[in-house]
Amino acid sequence: MVKKLRYTNALAVLLTVVGLSAPALAGSEDVVVENAWSRASIGVNRPGAAYMTVRNTGEDALTLTGLATPLAMMPEIHESKTNSDGVSSMSPAGEITIEPGQSVALEPGGLHAMLMKLQEPMTEGGTFLLTLTFSDGGKVTVEVPILGIAARGPEG
């Protein structure tokens, strides 16, 4: 029993290390998530956000239908827009369709993963798991690093 547990633990560590060193692949093997990152939060009273590029490498359109993370009770895809008067607003984006061979950038000032009702502060140097759900039932879970509060991209 102890030997079996050691093998199971070694396999879990190996899969974790391999998973962290490559882009996340979808259950449908047609989605690749790259350059995931987020900024540290100030406490839990204000929402956090996560950013990444979601690429469809398949031959069929895929629709991103939802998000889940233990870090936030209400994760949603939101979109920031600025009107002709220079007034910015943000609202839920709903489902996002990604055409074959195309990608969608979740980035500051545009589409992004809004993490509302944080369960704990987003602390610089930490990470959290974010699961993307697609209309075909496929799910992709990516580990999102938390960078400094002033980060402007995945490089910090």
Side-chain angles (χ1 to χ4, degrees):
M1 179 68 175
V2 171
K3 192 173 188 177
K4 183 177 180 181
L5 184 58
R6 282 187 190 147
Y7 286 127
T8 303
N9 288 340
L11 181 59
V13 169
L14 178 63
L15 291 174
T16 299
V17 170
V18 170
L20 294 178
S21 63
L25 298 177
S28 66
E29 75 265 343
D30 291 335
V31 173
V32 177
V33 177
E34 300 170 311
N35 299 318
W37 66 283
S38 63
R39 292 185 184 114
S41 67
I42 300 173
V44 295
N45 293 328
R46 298 196 41 113
Y51 312 101
M52 65 203 71
T53 300
V54 183
R55 188 165 37 103
N56 179 359
T57 64
E59 297 180 8
D60 297 314
L62 290 171
T63 302
L64 176 60
T65 58
L67 302 172
T69 178
L71 181 65
M73 293 178 66
M74 284 184 58
E76 296 179 345
I77 299 290
H78 278 206
E79 184 172 19
S80 297
K81 294 181 181 178
T82 303
N83 68 16
S84 59
D85 296 326
V87 178
S88 294
S89 64
M90 186 176 16
S91 61
E95 297 182 346
I96 306 296
T97 298
I98 309 169
E99 296 299 326
Q102 300 297 309
S103 62
V104 170
L106 303 183
E107 58 192 4
L111 292 171
H112 56 279
M114 180 62 76
L115 308 173
M116 298 173 289
K117 297 188 178 181
L118 291 175
Q119 297 302 290
E120 60 185 74
M122 296 172 67
T123 305
E124 183 176 355
T127 63
F128 64 94
L129 296 177
L130 180 66
T131 300
L132 289 70
T133 304
F134 294 88
S135 57
D136 66 355
K139 294 184 179 190
V140 176
T141 299
V142 62
E143 186 171 29
V144 181
I146 303 170
L147 306 180
I149 200 162
R152 294 178 175 250
E155 63 284 339

